[in-house]
């Protein structure tokens, strides 16, 4: 057994499965997934072996941003079902020992939330619930907006994450309000203690209903810099670098921690920005400060993203490793990492970091091996366990996402981009809609997702990639994921072992050991991953070879050539394309 100095937590030992309800499973034929559809698949999740479900927003919403624009935090969106359906889902999950975490979206609400309706009407109780400012004289400043009274410019030059100015003029209140996302997502004013009271009460209300935690949407944006500074070179201006980790963010979260959080909950804060300074990260995760269990940073998600949806950068394996190595090191003694390579805002990982053609299966398994054997809590995004891929978008009509359409349409209108066709490859690779196509349950019509017309196209590869086929085949990505998940339950070293990277600068092979000192001696694993379409030889340092080692899991058939155990003894691995091996070094 491990030494007593390990801080055991159920959420460290868990695997989280993310459900994006709109695209999961539709039971009423309207082409949109729903909560009864998730209830229908609880046994599926149980068979896979996951411990926690993170549910993307299911609250009442006009859907300007697929539920991230909430009109009522205490009711369920009609399209998704009723509160009774939600309660049934919670019961069904809990009766199988699966926990449920909800999405907490409190940087902003919908403009249809009653707080905003009252705020724009100038109701004294709500007037300061949002961030309202007067406009500037357009002749005196260098920025402008297409909307608003003649001669007036927005209060500052901030840009929305979804493109265009971050301010909208409201005719009724005759003032501008801040929206870091869509115009229908006004930012809440966290400086107002009544806003905090309302948010904390609402969280308490959900905890009382029995949930096990929250994923907190863009939570490092809640504190805006004092005076809303406006230097266009300031990092607070411009998309992807909005007002992150603002001056009072830790104070607000510490208050939340004190008033509503508990170490028994799983809380994971989404942290926007090109880089989260480690001092901030530690404060977010310190039980005596902000008290979150984990955070999602974006450093690995930005490696290949250009500044705009129509731009791409090259990524190198050594850069990807450097991000994970920095985070493992930064949180070695305090804090805990989350591990993800895709979610509802990111393209499919096998298309992005793997090879979704010839080696789709191998590379999906390899990436899964990485996520399940690094130190941290793995997050599986729906369909990842099938090796689902990006979608072959052909025209703008194929997209639904505001974050793809709005910036691109603006750029085409402004003449910055000629046409969709001119930037098709990059937009295809970047769009959030890649993740949002319906889960492929079968090879049948609409992949078994709906009897109606799906709200977003079904991937044409459903014949090959679907739950039925995957479950019927013992060598599938699905079965491999199930094995990876159970490995975590069997070996403490997978959860708690120290991570030591080998060959950090190598751009083809990612290899590392995991070591846990126990009273019965060391438990030690070696993980070796070939991120390429070619065979590769790996010469191991002397201290990671073993005469008695065994292969715990690998993504090539175990039988025959090459002899993976004697290769380990010789310290000379020959990895095939996208091969992943996890050895127990004993
Ligand atoms: C987060 C969500 C994303 C949403 C945005 C605004 O990044 O994951 O889907 O659009 O916040 O709420």
């Amino acid at each position: 057994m491990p030494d007593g100095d390990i801080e055991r937590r159920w959420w460290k030992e868990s695997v989280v499965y993310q459900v994006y309800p709109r695209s999961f499973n539709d039971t009423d034929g309207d082409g949109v997934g729903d909560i009864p559809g998730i209830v229908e698949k609880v046994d599926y999740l149980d068979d896979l072996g996951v411990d926690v479900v993170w549910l993307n927003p299911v609250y009442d919403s006009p859907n300007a941003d697929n539920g991230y624009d909430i009109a009522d935090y205490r009711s369920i969106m009609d399209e998704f079902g009723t509160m009774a359906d939600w309660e049934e889902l919670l019961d069904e999950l809990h009766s199988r020992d699966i926990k449920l975490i909800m999405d907490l979206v409190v940087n902003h609400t919908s403009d249809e939330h009653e707080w905003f309706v009252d705020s724009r009407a100038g109701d004294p109780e709500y007037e300061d619930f949002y961030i309202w400012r007067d406009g500037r004289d357009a002749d005196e400043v260098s920025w402008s907006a297409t909307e608003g009274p003649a001669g007036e410019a927005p209060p500052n030059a901030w840009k929305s994450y979804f493109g265009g100015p971050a301010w909208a003029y409201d005719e009724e209140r005759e003032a501008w309000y801040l929206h870091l996302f869509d115009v229908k997502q006004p930012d809440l004013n966290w400086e107002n203690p009544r806003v905090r009271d309302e948010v904390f009460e609402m969280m308490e209300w959900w905890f009382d209903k029995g949930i096990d935690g929250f994923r907190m949407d863009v939570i490092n944006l809640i504190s805006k810099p004092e005076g809303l500074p406006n230097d266009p070179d300031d990092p607070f201006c411009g998309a992807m670098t909005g007002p992150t980790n603002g001056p009072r963010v830790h104070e607000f979260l510490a208050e939340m921690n004190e008033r509503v959080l508990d170490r028994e909950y799983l809380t994971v804060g989404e942290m926007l920005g090109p880089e989260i300074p480690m001092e901030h990260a530690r404060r977010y995760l310190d039980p005596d400060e902000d008290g979150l269990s984990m955070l999602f940073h974006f450093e690995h998600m930005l490696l290949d993203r250009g500044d705009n949806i129509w731009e791409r950068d090259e990524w190198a394996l050594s850069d990807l490793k450097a991000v994970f190595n920095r985070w493992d090191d930064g949180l070695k003694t305090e804090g805990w990492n989350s591990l993800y390579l895709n979610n509802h805002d990111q393209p499919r990982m096998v298309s992005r970091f793997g090879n979704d053609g010839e080696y789709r299966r191998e590379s999906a398994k390899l990436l899964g091996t990485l996520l399940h054997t690094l130190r941290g809590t793995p997050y599986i995004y729906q369909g990842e366990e099938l090796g689902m891929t990006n979608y072959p978008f052909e025209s703008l009509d194929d997209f639904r996402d505001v974050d793809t359409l709005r910036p691109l349409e603006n750029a085409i209108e402004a003449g910055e981009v000629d046409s969709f066709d001119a930037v098709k490859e990059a937009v295809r690779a970047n769009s959030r809609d890649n993740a949002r196509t319906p889960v492929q349950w079968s090879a049948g019509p609409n992949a078994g997702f709906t009897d109606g017309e799906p709200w977003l196209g079904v991937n044409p590869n459903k014949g090959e990639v679907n739950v039925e086929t995957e479950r019927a085949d013992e060598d599938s990505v699905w079965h491999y994921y199930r094995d990876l998940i159970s490995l975590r339950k069997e070996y403490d070293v997978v959860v708690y072992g120290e991570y030591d990277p080998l060959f950090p600068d190598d751009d083809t092979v990612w290899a590392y050991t995991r070591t846990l000192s126990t009273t019965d001696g060391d438990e030690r694993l070696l993980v070796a991953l070939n991120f390429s379409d070619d065979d590769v030889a790996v010469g191991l340092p002397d201290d990671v070879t073993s005469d008695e080692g065994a292969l715990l899991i690998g993504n090539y058939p175990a039988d025959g050539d090459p002899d993976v155990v004697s290769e380990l003894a010789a310290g000379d691995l020959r990895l095939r394309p996208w091969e992943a091996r996890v050895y127990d070094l004993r």
Side-chain angles (χ1 to χ4, degrees):
M1 284 313 289
D3 286 341
D5 54 355
I6 282 177
E7 200 213 354
R8 287 186 171 273
R9 290 285 165 199
W10 65 263
W11 38 261
K12 295 181 180 174
E13 296 170 13
S14 293
V15 172
V16 183
Y17 187 96
Q18 182 188 349
V19 172
Y20 191 70
R22 179 160 291 272
S23 308
F24 193 66
N25 183 30
D26 175 27
T27 55
D28 62 4
D30 65 355
V32 168
D34 46 43
I35 296 176
I38 309 171
V39 172
E40 213 174 81
K41 302 293 184 186
V42 169
D43 278 332
Y44 169 81
L45 300 173
D46 194 32
D47 286 348
L48 186 60
V50 299
D51 309 283
V52 183
V53 166
W54 151 27
L55 197 57
N56 283 104
V58 290
Y59 317 96
D60 185 20
S61 161
N63 277 317
D65 184 23
N66 285 0
Y68 280 94
D69 47 320
I70 298 173
D72 180 353
Y73 290 102
R74 291 175 167 87
S75 68
I76 301 291
M77 192 191 302
D78 284 344
E79 270 183 317
F80 287 170
T82 62
M83 191 57 86
D85 294 329
W86 181 88
E87 282 160 1
E88 186 185 353
L89 174 63
L90 182 70
D91 286 348
E92 293 294 329
L93 289 169
H94 278 177
S95 71
R96 289 167 185 78
D97 258 341
I98 301 175
K99 298 190 156 66
L100 178 64
I101 67 171
M102 297 288 280
D103 221 303
L104 180 77
V105 188
V106 289
N107 173 69
H108 44 266
T109 68
S110 165
D111 65 342
E112 296 180 30
H113 194 292
E114 63 179 20
W115 300 337
F116 190 78
V117 174
D118 292 345
S119 191
R120 77 159 26 131
D123 177 333
E125 284 222 25
Y126 292 96
E127 61 181 351
D128 290 333
F129 261 53
Y130 295 84
I131 301 171
W132 293 98
R133 292 287 184 280
D134 290 332
R136 302 279 298 269
D137 184 338
D139 291 335
E140 284 172 15
V141 297
S142 59
W143 62 92
S144 60
T146 45
E147 322 261 313
E152 241 188 73
N156 73 18
W158 289 6
K159 303 257 184 349
S160 146
Y161 280 88
F162 292 163
W167 295 92
Y169 183 75
D170 185 65
E171 302 275 347
E172 189 177 342
R173 176 133 166 185
E174 298 183 337
W176 298 75
Y177 65 87
L178 180 70
H179 62 87
L180 291 178
F181 294 89
D182 192 63
V183 309
K184 287 186 66 66
Q185 293 170 296
D187 281 50
L188 281 166
N189 175 20
W190 274 71
E191 302 285 328
N192 180 346
R194 291 210 41 233
V195 167
R196 307 203 292 277
D197 289 345
E198 288 282 359
V199 168
F200 300 152
E201 263 168 46
M202 175 273 285
M203 291 174 73
E204 203 62 74
W205 189 85
W206 281 101
F207 281 127
D208 289 345
K209 289 186 85 66
I211 65 165
D212 304 287
F214 279 113
R215 174 267 186 186
M216 302 182 181
D217 192 61
V218 297
I219 202 69
N220 67 331
L221 300 187
I222 56 176
S223 163
K224 313 303 189 244
E226 228 178 292
L228 312 181
N230 196 31
D231 171 0
D233 297 324
D234 188 291
F236 294 128
C237 291
M240 290 321 287
T241 55
T244 54
N245 317 309
R248 296 185 69 191
V249 67
H250 296 296
E251 184 191 329
F252 294 154
L253 290 178
E255 185 182 341
M256 178 194 286
N257 188 22
E258 197 186 309
R259 289 174 58 179
V260 287
L261 298 185
D262 184 306
R263 283 304 262 175
E264 281 313 303
Y265 299 138
L266 190 171
T267 50
V268 50
E270 187 199 27
M271 306 285 168
L272 291 199
E275 195 177 304
I276 305 295
M278 210 48 80
E279 320 79 87
H280 279 288
R282 293 214 193 88
R283 292 182 70 181
Y284 287 126
L285 303 178
D286 184 341
D288 298 323
E289 289 201 56
D290 308 356
L292 304 183
S293 327
M294 291 169 245
L295 56 82
F296 291 135
H297 66 76
F298 283 77
E299 289 171 27
H300 53 319
M301 294 290 110
L302 296 176
L303 291 176
D304 62 353
R305 259 304 284 262
D307 289 340
N308 294 297
I309 187 86
W310 58 88
E311 290 165 353
R312 300 275 300 160
D313 278 340
E314 288 293 312
W315 70 278
L317 183 64
S318 52
D319 297 332
L320 188 65
K321 290 195 249 185
V323 170
F324 281 89
N325 294 351
R326 177 175 107 83
W327 277 91
D328 185 83
D329 197 48
L331 303 182
K332 217 179 202 52
T333 51
E334 295 153 59
W336 188 251
N337 272 300
S338 68
L339 303 166
Y340 77 96
L341 286 174
N342 49 200
N343 60 32
H344 66 293
D345 292 331
Q346 300 294 336
R348 291 278 176 186
M349 71 181 193
V350 67
S351 301
R352 186 175 193 180
F353 300 110
N355 173 336
D356 65 3
E358 189 181 352
Y359 296 107
R360 184 188 65 82
R361 210 180 238 229
E362 289 78 6
S363 60
K365 292 179 184 176
L366 172 139
L367 295 168
T369 312
L370 174 70
L371 291 171
H372 290 258
T373 61
L374 287 171
R375 191 166 58 143
T377 297
Y379 287 73
I380 301 174
Y381 178 67
Q382 64 185 30
E384 175 187 324
E385 76 280 17
L386 314 173
M388 278 181 64
T389 64
N390 281 353
Y391 182 92
F393 297 100
E394 280 304 336
S395 77
L396 276 184
D397 295 339
D398 291 342
F399 295 95
R400 299 287 174 274
D401 177 28
V402 319
D403 188 36
T404 304
L405 293 172
R406 185 141 316 153
L408 195 55
E409 284 163 355
N410 287 346
I412 292 174
E413 205 181 296
E416 277 172 69
V417 164
D418 282 346
S419 63
F420 170 68
D421 280 336
V423 291
K424 179 164 143 181
E425 288 312 314
V427 177
R428 264 183 166 186
N430 285 335
S431 176
R432 308 198 294 185
D433 276 341
N434 283 302
R436 300 176 179 186
T437 66
V439 170
Q440 293 156 216
W441 297 101
S442 72
N446 298 320
F449 163 71
T450 180
D451 294 336
E453 186 59 36
W455 72 278
L456 179 65
V458 170
N459 198 308
N461 66 11
K462 70 178 163 82
E464 184 200 340
V465 184
N466 67 69
V467 170
E468 265 176 30
T469 318
E470 288 280 312
R471 291 198 65 171
D473 173 359
E474 288 288 322
D475 276 333
S476 67
V477 180
W478 194 86
H479 281 277
Y480 190 84
Y481 259 70
R482 191 152 89 145
D483 293 345
L484 283 173
I485 295 167
S486 60
L487 211 58
R488 189 175 193 83
K489 313 284 176 241
E490 277 170 60
Y491 294 87
D492 267 339
V493 61
V494 173
V495 181
Y496 294 109
E498 264 197 41
Y499 164 82
D500 291 295
L502 301 165
F503 332 116
D505 301 326
D506 194 302
D507 275 322
T508 310
V509 173
W510 193 339
Y512 45 94
T513 56
R514 302 284 312 279
T515 311
L516 185 68
S517 302
T518 75
T519 42
D520 306 328
D522 281 0
E523 287 178 22
R524 199 148 181 246
L525 304 179
L526 166 67
V527 180
L529 311 167
N530 174 8
F531 274 75
S532 82
D533 294 352
D534 302 311
D535 291 330
V536 61
V538 185
L540 294 171
D542 287 347
D543 64 333
V544 293
T545 60
S546 167
D547 291 338
E548 286 159 39
L551 189 73
L552 278 187
I553 190 168
N555 65 350
Y556 270 74
D559 50 326
D561 200 28
D563 184 340
V564 297
V565 175
S566 54
E567 282 187 10
L568 176 68
D572 189 11
L573 307 185
R574 312 255 145 189
L575 300 177
R576 290 158 284 182
W578 297 98
E579 183 164 8
R581 293 185 198 166
V582 180
Y583 288 104
D584 180 349
L585 291 179
R586 304 206 186 176

